[in-house]
mmCIF file of all heavy atoms in Angstrom:
data_model
loop_
_atom_site.group_PDB
_atom_site.id
_atom_site.type_symbol
_atom_site.label_atom_id
_atom_site.label_comp_id
_atom_site.label_asym_id
_atom_site.label_seq_id
_atom_site.Cartn_x
_atom_site.Cartn_y
_atom_site.Cartn_z
ATOM 1 N N ALA R 3 -112.419 -95.005 231.745
ATOM 2 C CA ALA R 3 -113.257 -96.208 231.806
ATOM 3 C C ALA R 3 -112.581 -97.328 231.016
ATOM 4 O O ALA R 3 -112.585 -98.532 231.495
ATOM 5 C CB ALA R 3 -114.650 -95.948 231.275
ATOM 6 N N GLU R 4 -112.037 -97.009 229.866
ATOM 7 C CA GLU R 4 -111.370 -98.025 229.029
ATOM 8 C C GLU R 4 -110.160 -98.603 229.835
ATOM 9 O O GLU R 4 -109.959 -99.784 229.867
ATOM 10 C CB GLU R 4 -110.939 -97.462 227.706
ATOM 11 C CG GLU R 4 -110.291 -98.501 226.854
ATOM 12 C CD GLU R 4 -109.690 -97.954 225.550
ATOM 13 O OE1 GLU R 4 -109.696 -96.711 225.359
ATOM 14 O OE2 GLU R 4 -109.146 -98.724 224.735
ATOM 15 N N GLY R 5 -109.352 -97.690 230.445
ATOM 16 C CA GLY R 5 -108.218 -98.134 231.142
ATOM 17 C C GLY R 5 -108.540 -99.030 232.315
ATOM 18 O O GLY R 5 -107.916 -100.054 232.561
ATOM 19 N N VAL R 6 -109.606 -98.667 233.034
ATOM 20 C CA VAL R 6 -110.030 -99.446 234.166
ATOM 21 C C VAL R 6 -110.512 -100.850 233.751
ATOM 22 O O VAL R 6 -110.247 -101.852 234.389
ATOM 23 C CB VAL R 6 -111.183 -98.720 234.982
ATOM 24 C CG1 VAL R 6 -111.777 -99.596 236.061
ATOM 25 C CG2 VAL R 6 -110.556 -97.496 235.638
ATOM 26 N N ASP R 7 -111.279 -100.878 232.658
ATOM 27 C CA ASP R 7 -111.753 -102.183 232.187
ATOM 28 C C ASP R 7 -110.606 -103.085 231.767
ATOM 29 O O ASP R 7 -110.624 -104.237 232.084
ATOM 30 C CB ASP R 7 -112.726 -101.915 230.944
ATOM 31 C CG ASP R 7 -114.036 -101.353 231.336
ATOM 32 O OD1 ASP R 7 -114.367 -101.456 232.551
ATOM 33 O OD2 ASP R 7 -114.769 -100.894 230.475
ATOM 34 N N ILE R 8 -109.642 -102.536 231.082
ATOM 35 C CA ILE R 8 -108.492 -103.351 230.642
ATOM 36 C C ILE R 8 -107.692 -103.838 231.871
ATOM 37 O O ILE R 8 -107.287 -104.978 231.914
ATOM 38 C CB ILE R 8 -107.574 -102.515 229.718
ATOM 39 C CG1 ILE R 8 -108.275 -102.206 228.403
ATOM 40 C CG2 ILE R 8 -106.255 -103.190 229.472
ATOM 41 C CD1 ILE R 8 -107.524 -101.216 227.532
ATOM 42 N N LEU R 9 -107.546 -102.944 232.834
ATOM 43 C CA LEU R 9 -106.811 -103.296 234.072
ATOM 44 C C LEU R 9 -107.554 -104.421 234.856
ATOM 45 O O LEU R 9 -106.913 -105.384 235.310
ATOM 46 C CB LEU R 9 -106.629 -102.092 234.951
ATOM 47 C CG LEU R 9 -106.052 -102.354 236.344
ATOM 48 C CD1 LEU R 9 -104.625 -102.940 236.203
ATOM 49 C CD2 LEU R 9 -106.008 -101.106 237.216
ATOM 50 N N GLN R 10 -108.830 -104.310 235.014
ATOM 51 C CA GLN R 10 -109.565 -105.288 235.805
ATOM 52 C C GLN R 10 -109.523 -106.628 235.154
ATOM 53 O O GLN R 10 -109.358 -107.697 235.795
ATOM 54 C CB GLN R 10 -111.064 -104.804 235.932
ATOM 55 C CG GLN R 10 -111.226 -103.678 236.917
ATOM 56 C CD GLN R 10 -112.648 -103.148 237.009
ATOM 57 O OE1 GLN R 10 -113.453 -103.393 236.122
ATOM 58 N NE2 GLN R 10 -112.918 -102.477 238.091
ATOM 59 N N ALA R 11 -109.590 -106.657 233.773
ATOM 60 C CA ALA R 11 -109.477 -107.933 233.069
ATOM 61 C C ALA R 11 -108.071 -108.589 233.270
ATOM 62 O O ALA R 11 -107.987 -109.812 233.453
ATOM 63 C CB ALA R 11 -109.773 -107.763 231.587
ATOM 64 N N ALA R 12 -107.048 -107.730 233.313
ATOM 65 C CA ALA R 12 -105.697 -108.278 233.527
ATOM 66 C C ALA R 12 -105.513 -108.776 234.955
ATOM 67 O O ALA R 12 -104.976 -109.854 235.170
ATOM 68 C CB ALA R 12 -104.642 -107.210 233.220
ATOM 69 N N LEU R 13 -105.989 -107.978 235.955
ATOM 70 C CA LEU R 13 -105.835 -108.424 237.315
ATOM 71 C C LEU R 13 -106.608 -109.676 237.631
ATOM 72 O O LEU R 13 -106.190 -110.477 238.489
ATOM 73 C CB LEU R 13 -106.316 -107.245 238.220
ATOM 74 C CG LEU R 13 -105.446 -106.028 238.277
ATOM 75 C CD1 LEU R 13 -106.155 -104.929 239.106
ATOM 76 C CD2 LEU R 13 -104.060 -106.288 238.788
ATOM 77 N N ALA R 14 -107.708 -109.885 236.946
ATOM 78 C CA ALA R 14 -108.524 -111.074 237.151
ATOM 79 C C ALA R 14 -107.786 -112.374 236.809
ATOM 80 O O ALA R 14 -108.129 -113.462 237.316
ATOM 81 C CB ALA R 14 -109.807 -111.026 236.354
ATOM 82 N N ARG R 15 -106.718 -112.263 235.975
ATOM 83 C CA ARG R 15 -105.962 -113.472 235.635
ATOM 84 C C ARG R 15 -104.876 -113.751 236.667
ATOM 85 O O ARG R 15 -104.173 -114.748 236.574
ATOM 86 C CB ARG R 15 -105.292 -113.258 234.241
ATOM 87 C CG ARG R 15 -106.390 -113.118 233.171
ATOM 88 C CD ARG R 15 -105.856 -113.365 231.781
ATOM 89 N NE ARG R 15 -104.997 -112.270 231.208
ATOM 90 C CZ ARG R 15 -105.531 -111.244 230.536
ATOM 91 N NH1 ARG R 15 -106.767 -111.126 230.349
ATOM 92 N NH2 ARG R 15 -104.654 -110.326 230.109
ATOM 93 N N ASP R 16 -104.804 -112.908 237.706
ATOM 94 C CA ASP R 16 -103.956 -113.190 238.916
ATOM 95 C C ASP R 16 -102.472 -113.473 238.576
ATOM 96 O O ASP R 16 -101.858 -114.385 239.101
ATOM 97 C CB ASP R 16 -104.531 -114.323 239.696
ATOM 98 C CG ASP R 16 -104.070 -114.334 241.134
ATOM 99 O OD1 ASP R 16 -103.615 -113.308 241.642
ATOM 100 O OD2 ASP R 16 -104.039 -115.430 241.740
ATOM 101 N N ARG R 17 -101.921 -112.634 237.696
ATOM 102 C CA ARG R 17 -100.474 -112.728 237.380
ATOM 103 C C ARG R 17 -99.946 -111.322 237.483
ATOM 104 O O ARG R 17 -99.609 -110.706 236.436
ATOM 105 C CB ARG R 17 -100.231 -113.377 236.039
ATOM 106 C CG ARG R 17 -100.706 -114.802 235.957
ATOM 107 C CD ARG R 17 -100.445 -115.444 234.557
ATOM 108 N NE ARG R 17 -99.022 -115.478 234.325
ATOM 109 C CZ ARG R 17 -98.507 -115.916 233.138
ATOM 110 N NH1 ARG R 17 -99.296 -116.349 232.203
ATOM 111 N NH2 ARG R 17 -97.166 -115.936 232.969
ATOM 112 N N LEU R 18 -99.875 -110.796 238.678
ATOM 113 C CA LEU R 18 -99.489 -109.398 238.905
ATOM 114 C C LEU R 18 -98.097 -109.065 238.436
ATOM 115 O O LEU R 18 -97.142 -109.845 238.691
ATOM 116 C CB LEU R 18 -99.630 -109.053 240.397
ATOM 117 C CG LEU R 18 -99.469 -107.554 240.733
ATOM 118 C CD1 LEU R 18 -100.492 -106.660 240.065
ATOM 119 C CD2 LEU R 18 -99.451 -107.410 242.252
ATOM 120 N N GLY R 19 -97.978 -107.932 237.773
ATOM 121 C CA GLY R 19 -96.664 -107.378 237.388
ATOM 122 C C GLY R 19 -96.597 -105.929 237.679
ATOM 123 O O GLY R 19 -97.566 -105.319 238.091
ATOM 124 N N GLU R 20 -95.431 -105.310 237.456
ATOM 125 C CA GLU R 20 -95.220 -103.938 237.861
ATOM 126 C C GLU R 20 -96.140 -102.947 237.165
ATOM 127 O O GLU R 20 -96.661 -101.983 237.734
ATOM 128 C CB GLU R 20 -93.803 -103.493 237.691
ATOM 129 C CG GLU R 20 -93.291 -103.493 236.248
ATOM 130 C CD GLU R 20 -91.895 -102.855 236.163
ATOM 131 O OE1 GLU R 20 -91.760 -101.685 236.445
ATOM 132 O OE2 GLU R 20 -90.960 -103.563 235.762
ATOM 133 N N PHE R 21 -96.438 -103.152 235.856
ATOM 134 C CA PHE R 21 -97.275 -102.211 235.105
ATOM 135 C C PHE R 21 -98.676 -102.340 235.579
ATOM 136 O O PHE R 21 -99.405 -101.281 235.686
ATOM 137 C CB PHE R 21 -97.161 -102.466 233.611
ATOM 138 C CG PHE R 21 -95.822 -102.142 233.056
ATOM 139 C CD1 PHE R 21 -95.118 -103.047 232.322
ATOM 140 C CD2 PHE R 21 -95.209 -100.910 233.291
ATOM 141 C CE1 PHE R 21 -93.854 -102.772 231.778
ATOM 142 C CE2 PHE R 21 -93.962 -100.588 232.781
ATOM 143 C CZ PHE R 21 -93.266 -101.572 232.004
ATOM 144 N N GLN R 22 -99.166 -103.525 235.943
ATOM 145 C CA GLN R 22 -100.504 -103.638 236.525
ATOM 146 C C GLN R 22 -100.607 -102.894 237.866
ATOM 147 O O GLN R 22 -101.613 -102.224 238.153
ATOM 148 C CB GLN R 22 -100.889 -105.092 236.696
ATOM 149 C CG GLN R 22 -101.026 -105.890 235.362
ATOM 150 C CD GLN R 22 -101.108 -107.346 235.621
ATOM 151 O OE1 GLN R 22 -102.117 -107.848 236.091
ATOM 152 N NE2 GLN R 22 -100.002 -108.103 235.400
ATOM 153 N N ALA R 23 -99.591 -103.019 238.629
ATOM 154 C CA ALA R 23 -99.553 -102.317 239.963
ATOM 155 C C ALA R 23 -99.555 -100.834 239.804
ATOM 156 O O ALA R 23 -100.310 -100.141 240.495
ATOM 157 C CB ALA R 23 -98.318 -102.764 240.809
ATOM 158 N N GLN R 24 -98.772 -100.343 238.850
ATOM 159 C CA GLN R 24 -98.773 -98.876 238.597
ATOM 160 C C GLN R 24 -100.143 -98.437 238.064
ATOM 161 O O GLN R 24 -100.660 -97.345 238.481
ATOM 162 C CB GLN R 24 -97.700 -98.548 237.530
ATOM 163 C CG GLN R 24 -96.292 -98.611 238.109
ATOM 164 C CD GLN R 24 -95.292 -97.998 237.127
ATOM 165 O OE1 GLN R 24 -95.451 -96.822 236.724
ATOM 166 N NE2 GLN R 24 -94.316 -98.722 236.731
ATOM 167 N N ALA R 25 -100.730 -99.266 237.211
ATOM 168 C CA ALA R 25 -102.081 -98.902 236.676
ATOM 169 C C ALA R 25 -103.142 -98.846 237.766
ATOM 170 O O ALA R 25 -104.042 -98.036 237.787
ATOM 171 C CB ALA R 25 -102.464 -99.887 235.548
ATOM 172 N N ALA R 26 -102.990 -99.808 238.721
ATOM 173 C CA ALA R 26 -103.953 -99.821 239.871
ATOM 174 C C ALA R 26 -103.873 -98.531 240.678
ATOM 175 O O ALA R 26 -104.865 -97.979 241.138
ATOM 176 C CB ALA R 26 -103.680 -101.028 240.742
ATOM 177 N N ILE R 27 -102.639 -97.982 240.887
ATOM 178 C CA ILE R 27 -102.488 -96.739 241.607
ATOM 179 C C ILE R 27 -103.133 -95.626 240.795
ATOM 180 O O ILE R 27 -103.849 -94.783 241.346
ATOM 181 C CB ILE R 27 -100.958 -96.529 241.814
ATOM 182 C CG1 ILE R 27 -100.423 -97.538 242.806
ATOM 183 C CG2 ILE R 27 -100.761 -95.091 242.346
ATOM 184 C CD1 ILE R 27 -98.909 -97.570 242.834
ATOM 185 N N ALA R 28 -102.857 -95.562 239.488
ATOM 186 C CA ALA R 28 -103.471 -94.547 238.612
ATOM 187 C C ALA R 28 -104.984 -94.620 238.634
ATOM 188 O O ALA R 28 -105.631 -93.616 238.628
ATOM 189 C CB ALA R 28 -102.922 -94.668 237.217
ATOM 190 N N ALA R 29 -105.553 -95.877 238.657
ATOM 191 C CA ALA R 29 -106.970 -96.036 238.697
ATOM 192 C C ALA R 29 -107.590 -95.499 239.929
ATOM 193 O O ALA R 29 -108.694 -94.936 239.939
ATOM 194 C CB ALA R 29 -107.315 -97.496 238.480
ATOM 195 N N LEU R 30 -106.919 -95.691 241.062
ATOM 196 C CA LEU R 30 -107.443 -95.172 242.349
ATOM 197 C C LEU R 30 -107.478 -93.628 242.349
ATOM 198 O O LEU R 30 -108.394 -93.018 242.915
ATOM 199 C CB LEU R 30 -106.532 -95.646 243.508
ATOM 200 C CG LEU R 30 -106.752 -97.130 243.860
ATOM 201 C CD1 LEU R 30 -105.610 -97.665 244.772
ATOM 202 C CD2 LEU R 30 -108.127 -97.354 244.558
ATOM 203 N N HIS R 31 -106.441 -93.020 241.756
ATOM 204 C CA HIS R 31 -106.483 -91.562 241.590
ATOM 205 C C HIS R 31 -107.659 -91.090 240.731
ATOM 206 O O HIS R 31 -108.359 -90.168 240.993
ATOM 207 C CB HIS R 31 -105.153 -91.061 241.017
ATOM 208 C CG HIS R 31 -104.036 -90.995 242.007
ATOM 209 N ND1 HIS R 31 -104.081 -90.192 243.129
ATOM 210 C CD2 HIS R 31 -102.856 -91.630 242.012
ATOM 211 C CE1 HIS R 31 -102.949 -90.368 243.789
ATOM 212 N NE2 HIS R 31 -102.212 -91.263 243.172
ATOM 213 N N ALA R 32 -107.807 -91.854 239.586
ATOM 214 C CA ALA R 32 -108.858 -91.501 238.636
ATOM 215 C C ALA R 32 -110.275 -91.692 239.215
ATOM 216 O O ALA R 32 -111.216 -91.037 238.823
ATOM 217 C CB ALA R 32 -108.661 -92.331 237.361
ATOM 218 N N ASP R 33 -110.370 -92.654 240.113
ATOM 219 C CA ASP R 33 -111.675 -93.010 240.714
ATOM 220 C C ASP R 33 -112.160 -92.021 241.735
ATOM 221 O O ASP R 33 -113.347 -91.960 242.078
ATOM 222 C CB ASP R 33 -111.607 -94.415 241.299
ATOM 223 C CG ASP R 33 -112.941 -94.952 241.705
ATOM 224 O OD1 ASP R 33 -113.885 -94.950 240.855
ATOM 225 O OD2 ASP R 33 -113.106 -95.390 242.874
ATOM 226 N N ALA R 34 -111.248 -91.236 242.300
ATOM 227 C CA ALA R 34 -111.587 -90.336 243.408
ATOM 228 C C ALA R 34 -112.304 -89.103 242.875
ATOM 229 O O ALA R 34 -111.741 -88.410 241.984
ATOM 230 C CB ALA R 34 -110.368 -89.889 244.192
ATOM 231 N N PRO R 35 -113.568 -88.804 243.283
ATOM 232 C CA PRO R 35 -114.263 -87.655 242.808
ATOM 233 C C PRO R 35 -113.517 -86.327 243.121
ATOM 234 O O PRO R 35 -113.554 -85.369 242.357
ATOM 235 C CB PRO R 35 -115.571 -87.682 243.532
ATOM 236 C CG PRO R 35 -115.761 -89.097 243.986
ATOM 237 C CD PRO R 35 -114.385 -89.586 244.246
ATOM 238 N N THR R 36 -112.844 -86.266 244.264
ATOM 239 C CA THR R 36 -112.004 -85.130 244.629
ATOM 240 C C THR R 36 -110.694 -85.645 245.191
ATOM 241 O O THR R 36 -110.593 -86.775 245.618
ATOM 242 C CB THR R 36 -112.707 -84.270 245.686
ATOM 243 O OG1 THR R 36 -112.822 -85.034 246.910
ATOM 244 C CG2 THR R 36 -114.120 -83.819 245.262
ATOM 245 N N ALA R 37 -109.766 -84.701 245.285
ATOM 246 C CA ALA R 37 -108.447 -85.113 245.871
ATOM 247 C C ALA R 37 -108.615 -85.564 247.279
ATOM 248 O O ALA R 37 -107.916 -86.509 247.759
ATOM 249 C CB ALA R 37 -107.489 -83.950 245.778
ATOM 250 N N ALA R 38 -109.521 -84.922 248.060
ATOM 251 C CA ALA R 38 -109.652 -85.274 249.467
ATOM 252 C C ALA R 38 -110.272 -86.659 249.628
ATOM 253 O O ALA R 38 -110.115 -87.266 250.719
ATOM 254 C CB ALA R 38 -110.606 -84.271 250.102
ATOM 255 N N GLU R 39 -110.917 -87.176 248.594
ATOM 256 C CA GLU R 39 -111.556 -88.541 248.696
ATOM 257 C C GLU R 39 -110.675 -89.642 248.174
ATOM 258 O O GLU R 39 -111.125 -90.766 248.054
ATOM 259 C CB GLU R 39 -112.865 -88.524 247.995
ATOM 260 C CG GLU R 39 -113.923 -87.571 248.565
ATOM 261 C CD GLU R 39 -115.183 -87.467 247.694
ATOM 262 O OE1 GLU R 39 -116.064 -88.286 247.822
ATOM 263 O OE2 GLU R 39 -115.211 -86.499 246.887
ATOM 264 N N THR R 40 -109.382 -89.311 247.901
ATOM 265 C CA THR R 40 -108.498 -90.353 247.385
ATOM 266 C C THR R 40 -108.247 -91.400 248.453
ATOM 267 O O THR R 40 -108.007 -91.090 249.608
ATOM 268 C CB THR R 40 -107.152 -89.682 246.994
ATOM 269 O OG1 THR R 40 -107.395 -88.644 245.987
ATOM 270 C CG2 THR R 40 -106.214 -90.713 246.377
ATOM 271 N N ASP R 41 -108.244 -92.633 248.009
ATOM 272 C CA ASP R 41 -108.063 -93.763 248.945
ATOM 273 C C ASP R 41 -106.532 -94.019 249.079
ATOM 274 O O ASP R 41 -105.979 -94.902 248.505
ATOM 275 C CB ASP R 41 -108.749 -95.014 248.392
ATOM 276 C CG ASP R 41 -108.746 -96.187 249.440
ATOM 277 O OD1 ASP R 41 -107.963 -96.099 250.410
ATOM 278 O OD2 ASP R 41 -109.480 -97.138 249.228
ATOM 279 N N TRP R 42 -105.911 -93.205 249.949
ATOM 280 C CA TRP R 42 -104.450 -93.254 250.080
ATOM 281 C C TRP R 42 -104.008 -94.523 250.788
ATOM 282 O O TRP R 42 -102.901 -95.020 250.495
ATOM 283 C CB TRP R 42 -103.980 -92.040 250.836
ATOM 284 C CG TRP R 42 -103.934 -90.802 250.051
ATOM 285 C CD1 TRP R 42 -104.832 -89.755 250.162
ATOM 286 C CD2 TRP R 42 -103.086 -90.490 248.978
ATOM 287 N NE1 TRP R 42 -104.521 -88.815 249.200
ATOM 288 C CE2 TRP R 42 -103.432 -89.206 248.502
ATOM 289 C CE3 TRP R 42 -101.978 -91.147 248.393
ATOM 290 C CZ2 TRP R 42 -102.779 -88.585 247.446
ATOM 291 C CZ3 TRP R 42 -101.305 -90.468 247.347
ATOM 292 C CH2 TRP R 42 -101.728 -89.259 246.866
ATOM 293 N N VAL R 43 -104.809 -95.095 251.649
ATOM 294 C CA VAL R 43 -104.435 -96.365 252.313
ATOM 295 C C VAL R 43 -104.252 -97.463 251.303
ATOM 296 O O VAL R 43 -103.260 -98.204 251.313
ATOM 297 C CB VAL R 43 -105.458 -96.762 253.399
ATOM 298 C CG1 VAL R 43 -105.143 -98.143 253.928
ATOM 299 C CG2 VAL R 43 -105.491 -95.766 254.492
ATOM 300 N N GLN R 44 -105.207 -97.554 250.346
ATOM 301 C CA GLN R 44 -105.111 -98.547 249.303
ATOM 302 C C GLN R 44 -103.936 -98.297 248.364
ATOM 303 O O GLN R 44 -103.285 -99.179 247.852
ATOM 304 C CB GLN R 44 -106.413 -98.712 248.543
ATOM 305 C CG GLN R 44 -106.515 -99.984 247.737
ATOM 306 C CD GLN R 44 -107.870 -100.223 247.168
ATOM 307 O OE1 GLN R 44 -108.018 -101.072 246.223
ATOM 308 N NE2 GLN R 44 -108.840 -99.453 247.574
#
């Protein structure tokens, strides 16, 4: 939850960089209740 909050605040400033992109991928994995529900398209 802390990682997602920090990431969302950074992304809101609209200055995307590689670490923010990597964190977004990690957040999508963390957000999936199960592996089968992972949003692979995103």
Side-chain angles (χ1 to χ4, degrees):
E4 181 187 4
V6 169
D7 286 345
I8 292 170
L9 173 63
Q10 287 177 340
L13 291 175
R15 297 199 285 272
D16 199 23
R17 297 182 62 183
L18 184 64
E20 64 170 298
F21 293 126
Q22 294 169 75
Q24 288 192 56
I27 293 167
L30 285 166
H31 283 297
D33 189 53
T36 65
E39 295 173 87
T40 303
D41 189 345
W42 285 107
V43 172
Q44 196 173 166

